[in-house]
Amino acid sequence: MSAWRFSRYFLGSAPSITEARRFVAALLRDWPTADEAELIVSELATNAIRHSASGRFGGRFLVSVQAHTDRLWLGVLDEGGPSSPRVFRPCPEGEGGRGLLLVASLAIDWGVWGDEHGRTVWAVLNAGSQAASCI
Ligand SMILES: Nc1ncnc2c1ncn2[C@@H]1O[C@H](COP(=O)(O)OP(=O)(O)OP(=O)(O)O)[C@@H](O)[C@H]1O
Ligand SMILES: [Mg+2]
């Protein structure tokens, strides 16, 4: 299959998390790692709304899905802000701080581009890999 890429903007509010999941599910209907891709985009979209300027009134974020023969690239571009994505150390009693850990456990690589004016949090999935059984 040849490479392709689709991107779509979503409003920076909670209902967009489900819409972003549906966008990814529709694009990846026949891909073995569609569930992992949905989960990753859901976590990154949630973070964009909760932790970046995308969550302000009128804010938005951009979800991109790029497919190659054996790899999927997923990216969520937000509208920046003072906070930066960072992985917390696992803490059994703690609440929160698990989204990026989950992304890191599912993806073969992930990272962040950008600055306070806008950040892309991206993740790469092996297009044929099995889902991680737990985190
Ligand atoms: N897009 C983002 N922009 C700015 N800061 C971010 C972004 N994504 C994550 N962060 C920062 O990284 C931290 C860790 O993110 P993570 O998703 O792991 O945890 P959380 O969102 O705090 O909690 P949880 O995802 O478990 O509900 C966040 O608390 C936030 O400070
Ligand atoms: Mg989170």
Side-chain angles (χ1 to χ4, degrees):
M1 186 194 285
S2 57
W4 53 261
R5 178 178 178 131
F6 283 95
S7 299
R8 195 185 131 186
Y9 277 104
F10 296 86
L11 291 177
S13 55
S16 296
I17 298 165
T18 304
E19 288 173 25
R21 284 189 86 125
R22 288 193 183 134
F23 172 67
V24 171
L27 285 174
L28 300 177
R29 198 174 299 122
D30 299 325
W31 291 69
T33 46
D35 288 350
E36 292 97 313
E38 257 192 76
L39 204 47
I40 287 172
V41 166
S42 173
E43 291 297 333
L44 300 184
T46 303
N47 281 351
I49 293 168
R50 191 186 293 168
H51 303 300
S52 87
S54 296
R56 293 190 303 207
F57 182 73
R60 59 186 192 159
F61 61 90
L62 180 72
V63 174
S64 297
V65 180
Q66 188 167 321
H68 299 267
T69 326
D70 58 348
R71 293 278 190 274
L72 279 174
W73 186 95
L74 309 163
V76 173
L77 168 64
D78 64 37
E79 294 186 338
S83 156
S84 293
R86 62 186 189 284
V87 175
F88 290 125
R89 252 187 308 152
C91 170
E93 302 86 38
E95 286 191 11
R98 298 189 182 275
L100 290 178
L101 267 180
L102 176 65
V103 171
S105 76
L106 292 172
I108 55 177
D109 197 11
W110 76 280
V112 183
W113 299 327
D115 55 26
E116 70 272 20
H117 302 295
R119 294 182 182 87
T120 298
V121 187
W122 57 268
V124 176
L125 277 176
N126 188 335
S129 75
Q130 297 301 310
S133 54
C134 58
I135 56 166

